[in-house]
Amino acid sequence: QQQVKQSPQSLIVQKGGISIINCAYENTAFDYFPWYQQFPGKGPALLIAIRPDVSEKKEGRFTISFNKSAKQFSLHIMDSQPGDSATYFCAASMTGTASKLTFGTGTRLQVTL
Amino acid sequence: NAGVMQNPRHLVRRRGQEARLRCSPMKGHSHVYWYRQLPEEGLKFMVYLQKENIIDESGMPKERFSAEFPKEGPSILRIQQVVRGDSAAYFCASSRDHSAGELFFGEGSRLTVL
């Protein structure tokens, strides 16, 4: 019941295109949904996060869309750039233990010129 | 550097040896977490500690693994009698507030067991 499923496993997008990564969760007690970005050899870094009281959150070129009834959330990267090439992880956690995250398996994004 | 500091960055051990991984949290952070990342997989929660206390160790293997966060000094993840399946990247993270959600990760310690 703690699983977070992430897709696709890998993604190739042309520069300027839109990158879309999807996640689905099972545990309805989850109420905090962050996305982390990880470059090779580095630790994950928080990119953007959402709570279920809103259906969308935008920060610059990054947008999280959240569908509570479907138990799904997605990351959209607009105007994708080569510097966005990294592995992206969705995650979920519960109120009171928001820092104890359940991670998806990651999406390796490559943005080509 | 005010970030989460982990060392060693790379560690090679033979089967049966001990591995000790260290983590200094960000300044002002009293909550420390250890996560393990196996190749081509996401991060898995292992343990959550505050100074001198293990708060949640629900993700720790029952045997050979232990963690501590002493009053003075870094948090330590200890793996005794390592096996090949322990080969992974071990990430430490810290936060100011356990309920806030934002974790700051170190660059990880990559353990290879020969």
Side-chain angles (χ1 to χ4, degrees), chain B residues 5 10 19 32 34 41 44 49 70 90-91 97 110 112 114:
Chain B
M5 302 301 292
H10 300 275
V32 166
W34 286 92
E41 291 189 19
K44 304 284 188 198
L49 311 101
Y90 292 83
F91 288 94
D97 178 356
R110 282 153 182 84
T112 300
L114 301 178

Side-chain angles (χ1 to χ4, degrees), chain A residues 31-37 45-59 62-66 73-75 89-93 98 101, chain B residues 99-103:
Chain A
D31 59 3
Y32 174 70
F33 303 93
W35 285 87
Y36 279 79
Q37 179 188 56
L46 179 64
L47 190 62
I48 186 172
I50 196 168
R51 294 191 183 271
D53 50 342
V54 295
S55 61
E56 186 175 281
K57 183 174 181 180
K58 184 176 180 179
E59 289 184 2
F62 300 92
T63 299
I64 299 180
S65 297
F66 182 78
F73 57 110
S74 60
L75 176 70
F89 293 96
C90 62
S93 62
L101 296 167
Chain B
S99 62
E102 183 172 11
L103 290 181

Side-chain angles (χ1 to χ4, degrees), chain B residues 8-73:
Chain B
R9 292 292 313 280
H10 300 275
L11 183 62
V12 179
R13 285 287 179 265
R14 296 191 181 279
R15 281 178 295 170
Q17 291 184 320
E18 178 178 290
R20 225 172 249 236
L21 311 177
R22 289 175 291 277
C23 168
S24 295
M26 282 184 68
K27 188 175 181 181
H29 288 191
S30 61
H31 305 265
V32 166
Y33 310 80
W34 286 92
Y35 283 78
R36 177 164 64 175
Q37 185 175 34
L38 293 170
E40 306 302 321
E41 291 189 19
L43 291 88
K44 304 284 188 198
F45 169 81
M46 298 181 74
V47 63
Y48 159 42
L49 311 101
Q50 283 187 278
K51 281 288 187 183
E52 299 185 276
N53 291 303
I54 297 173
I55 308 300
D56 182 344
E57 56 181 346
S58 58
M60 287 278 270
K62 294 289 185 282
E63 298 177 346
R64 301 188 297 107
F65 285 72
S66 62
E68 63 178 14
F69 189 15
K71 186 176 180 180
E72 301 292 336

Side-chain angles (χ1 to χ4, degrees), chain A residues 1-97:
Chain A
Q1 301 308 319
Q2 299 292 322
Q3 200 172 17
V4 176
K5 294 181 180 179
Q6 184 172 347
S7 64
Q9 189 173 9
S10 62
L11 182 60
I12 300 175
V13 172
Q14 278 197 325
K15 179 182 174 183
I18 303 173
S19 304
I20 302 174
I21 305 170
N22 301 299
C23 283
Y25 62 97
E26 298 171 1
N27 189 343
T28 54
F30 286 148
D31 59 3
Y32 174 70
F33 303 93
W35 285 87
Y36 279 79
Q37 179 188 56
Q38 184 180 29
F39 292 104
K42 302 293 185 182
L46 179 64
L47 190 62
I48 186 172
I50 196 168
R51 294 191 183 271
D53 50 342
V54 295
S55 61
E56 186 175 281
K57 183 174 181 180
K58 184 176 180 179
E59 289 184 2
R61 297 184 293 108
F62 300 92
T63 299
I64 299 180
S65 297
F66 182 78
N67 185 329
K68 188 174 181 178
S69 61
K71 293 188 287 185
Q72 295 175 347
F73 57 110
S74 60
L75 176 70
H76 295 233
I77 306 174
M78 312 300 287
D79 187 25
S80 299
Q81 299 296 312
D84 296 332
S85 298
T87 300
Y88 293 80
F89 293 96
C90 62
S93 62
M94 294 180 275
T95 295
T97 61

